[in-house]
Amino acid sequence: MGNPKAFLEIHRQEAGYRPIHDRIHDFGEVEQTLNTKERKAQASRCMDCGVPFCHWACPLGNKPPEWNDALYRGDWELAYRLLNATNPFPEFTGRICPALCEKACILNLIEHEPTTNREDEASITEAAFREGYVITHHPKRNGKRVAVIGAGPAGLAAANDLNLKGYEVTVYDRHEAAGGLLRYGIPNFKLNKAIIDRRMKVLYDEGIKFVFEADIDLQHLSLANEFDAVVIATGTPTARDLKIPGRELKGVHFALDILSQQNRILDGIEFKKDEIVTAKGKDVLVIGGGDTGSDCIGTAHRQGCKSVTQIEIMPKPPVGPEDPKNPWPAYPRTLKTTSSHEEGCTRRWNINSLEFIGKDGKLTGVRVQEIDWKPNPEGGRPLMVEKGKPEIIKAELVLLAMGFLKPEHPQYPKNVFVCGDAANGASLVVRALASGKQTAAKVDDFLKK
Ligand code: FAD
């Protein structure tokens, strides 16, 4: 597999991002691509390592050594077949997956230069769409009907597998188009929405039915009587709030208020002037240090903010593995610098927010307190200790990016299954896809009995 000695001669090469001065003015995807020769050389670094930790690290069980070998040999069609055998939508993960496989790659352990699986995956899939290797299947129907609620990655993955198994699948979503957070959360500079539309055409052509702007009442699930089985893939719609004094001030928003609106604006949807949440000309404070916060930073830059600061209540993560003698990767606890951070941002850790401050009903800043985390002598959660005096961070726009609450579900009848973030809490696209596929297999088992 691959070229067993290539990793000794060829270093990891990432395609990198478009230059900041170029990308900061538009919402086009920031990531660039390597040329074919360079891409094949990168694929050749995936050696037959004997113990492929990548398979185990990937929730989908993707097998990079197999498709990297095909890519290295120039068989792009085979590479896509092998990739698509475990991953229904590699064009999504190829763009936005944190690539758990790369963290587990043996070359990461040896020399911190893992194979470029995520980028290889994106290149293989683009070639597949370009060259016509993405085939439309026309499955033989088995007479049974399944409803899927939620057209995010989990729901689409479940619908795709069930449809291919012969079920007649109808997907319901409260939004006006498919994708869930892929479309109404993740900014276009990470994932162009035409990529979702392209996959949707395949799913439509294969016979899946979609009903949009259908807000299904999950407490009284009448669909369970109408269909042989129901899959709930409704994500985690409730964002964690910060209920401190001043929360009602104009200028305090949830991250998704700005992210989903910006994506809709780019999709041609018009909003009234007073409905628009914009960072233009403002000092922006993002509260929360994860992916959502980072996407707010990139969006604020592109909207023309004056400045952007990101605060996080937790301590700054280590830059590399905490213990140099420990060869295992420290991910996800290491410091992550995204393309949005590169574009400019003041990042601070160990900061607790005390109060939103405003004038005439409008936000002007946030009173914050630097803290330290001390071990708890009684065990359990570390203790928060104040450090110095509170200070005010100036801000006309605050974006709350502190995660999402795990939904609670009523006791459903036996033919109802829950998957994706709705079942596991807010996570990753790759986990949502894996969960959707696993749930499709469970539905199939249930309906075959
Ligand atoms: P969702 O994507 O949330 O989809 C749920 C769908 O259900 C939605 O379309 C919703 O409209 C619909 N729905 C909900 N309730 C109902 C109802 N009652 N009736 C009808 N329809 C309903 N993950 C990564 O791997 N990489 C990233 O870079 C990344 N960036 C992210 C950035 C942001 C800003 C956010 C918020 C998340 C990010 N994630 C990322 C996480 C990832 O997007 C989610 O884990 C994934 O989308 C979950 O998929 P899902 O299908 O379970 O739910």
Side-chain angles (χ1 to χ4, degrees):
M1 289 218 178
N3 172 0
K5 289 191 180 163
F7 76 96
L8 296 170
E9 293 146 19
I10 302 169
H11 284 283
R12 176 180 164 98
Q13 183 188 357
E14 293 173 18
Y17 303 128
R18 290 159 56 208
I20 292 175
H21 66 82
D22 174 44
R23 70 188 196 229
I24 199 88
H25 300 296
D26 64 56
F27 281 86
E29 286 187 353
V30 294
E31 194 162 53
Q32 307 184 110
T33 50
L34 298 182
N35 64 37
T36 303
K37 194 171 162 222
E38 292 167 330
R39 177 58 59 211
K40 284 163 79 173
Q42 286 303 301
S44 76
R45 295 182 69 247
C46 187
M47 54 176 178
D48 187 6
C49 61
V51 187
F53 295 118
C54 53
H55 299 194
W56 306 340
C58 175
L60 284 163
N62 280 353
K63 298 187 173 53
E66 294 184 3
W67 36 264
N68 271 329
D69 182 59
L71 171 55
Y72 160 56
R73 293 174 198 286
D75 192 340
W76 295 76
E77 183 169 5
L78 177 63
Y80 180 72
R81 297 270 162 272
L82 294 166
L83 173 57
N84 191 225
T86 52
N87 187 343
F89 313 128
E91 65 274 32
F92 304 155
T93 44
R95 284 173 168 78
I96 54 169
C97 190
L100 308 175
C101 56
E102 292 183 20
K103 311 301 184 285
C105 174
I106 202 86
L107 295 182
N108 192 30
L109 304 181
I110 298 172
E111 51 169 15
H112 302 297
E113 286 195 30
T115 50
T116 53
N117 297 339
R118 183 185 58 77
E119 291 188 22
D120 296 349
E121 185 177 334
S123 295
I124 292 168
T125 317
E126 287 314 302
F129 273 102
R130 205 172 46 241
E131 302 298 329
Y133 305 147
V134 181
I135 298 163
T136 306
H137 299 89
H138 297 287
K140 196 167 169 281
R141 297 294 156 198
N142 63 18
K144 293 194 172 152
R145 298 167 67 238
V146 181
V148 174
I149 310 172
L156 292 180
N160 180 59
D161 273 19
L162 287 164
N163 185 56
L164 294 178
K165 286 178 199 295
Y167 295 96
E168 198 181 287
V169 181
T170 306
V171 182
Y172 296 87
D173 199 291
R174 58 159 66 131
H175 285 319
E176 60 272 27
L181 287 172
L182 296 175
R183 187 181 293 274
Y184 297 114
I186 295 172
N188 285 29
F189 58 80
K190 277 167 61 179
L191 176 69
N192 183 327
K193 305 315 169 218
I195 302 298
I196 308 174
D197 297 338
R198 186 176 64 181
R199 178 58 70 173
M200 284 303 293
K201 184 168 179 328
V202 179
L203 299 182
Y204 271 115
D205 288 350
E206 290 185 336
I208 303 179
K209 297 191 183 86
F210 288 89
V211 183
F212 292 112
E213 298 180 334
D215 199 343
I216 306 297
D217 182 351
L218 300 178
Q219 303 299 319
H220 307 97
L221 201 57
S222 55
L223 289 178
N225 301 325
E226 297 165 29
F227 285 80
D228 295 295
V230 176
V231 174
I232 296 182
T234 45
T236 51
T238 313
R240 187 167 289 121
D241 205 348
L242 184 58
K243 290 179 181 154
I244 56 175
R247 176 65 182 85
E248 73 290 349
L249 288 168
K250 198 161 183 274
V252 183
H253 289 275
F254 288 115
L256 281 186
D257 292 347
I258 196 166
L259 295 176
S260 72
Q261 187 179 68
Q262 180 58 64
N263 288 357
R264 283 187 162 91
I265 290 171
L266 291 168
D267 231 9
I269 295 172
E270 290 184 8
F271 290 86
K272 290 188 198 131
K273 208 174 161 202
D274 62 350
E275 284 172 356
I276 292 181
V277 181
T278 177
K280 192 170 182 189
K282 294 177 185 164
D283 291 304
V284 179
L285 179 67
V286 176
I287 303 184
D291 269 338
T292 305
S294 157
D295 290 347
C296 289
I297 295 165
T299 301
H301 281 306
R302 283 160 182 75
Q303 291 185 347
C305 67
K306 201 185 327 167
S307 75
V308 56
T309 302
Q310 182 181 34
I311 60 172
E312 165 61 52
I313 197 167
M314 299 303 287
K316 183 176 180 179
V319 176
E322 298 97 308
D323 176 0
K325 287 187 198 139
N326 175 6
W328 299 99
Y331 180 85
R333 284 163 289 128
T334 46
L335 181 65
K336 188 171 170 190
T337 304
T338 64
S339 65
S340 298
H341 291 119
E342 279 178 7
E343 291 158 7
C345 170
T346 304
R347 293 175 85 177
R348 298 179 63 186
W349 288 266
N350 277 341
I351 302 291
N352 188 25
S353 309
L354 303 177
E355 182 183 6
F356 297 114
I357 294 174
K359 199 174 167 209
D360 302 330
K362 284 190 189 162
L363 179 81
T364 56
V366 184
R367 198 156 65 84
V368 299
Q369 170 73 57
E370 194 175 348
I371 52 152
D372 243 347
W373 292 98
K374 293 266 157 69
N376 188 337
E378 290 168 17
R381 265 177 80 97
L383 300 173
M384 194 197 283
V385 184
E386 292 185 355
K387 215 173 141 189
K389 290 191 176 148
E391 60 178 299
I392 290 172
I393 299 179
K394 190 167 172 282
E396 292 90 40
L397 177 66
V398 158
L399 299 171
L400 303 174
M402 303 178 307
F404 298 85
L405 304 180
K406 188 174 171 186
E408 288 185 7
H409 300 280
Q411 189 72 37
Y412 289 122
K414 274 196 175 138
N415 65 339
V416 178
F417 299 77
V418 186
C419 71
D421 282 5
N424 307 314
S427 186
L428 296 172
V429 170
V430 67
R431 292 207 174 101
L433 296 178
S435 173
K437 282 179 74 67
Q438 286 153 10
T439 301
K442 283 185 202 161
V443 172
D444 187 40
D445 281 350
F446 172 78
L447 291 179
K448 270 189 188 154
K449 274 181 196 157

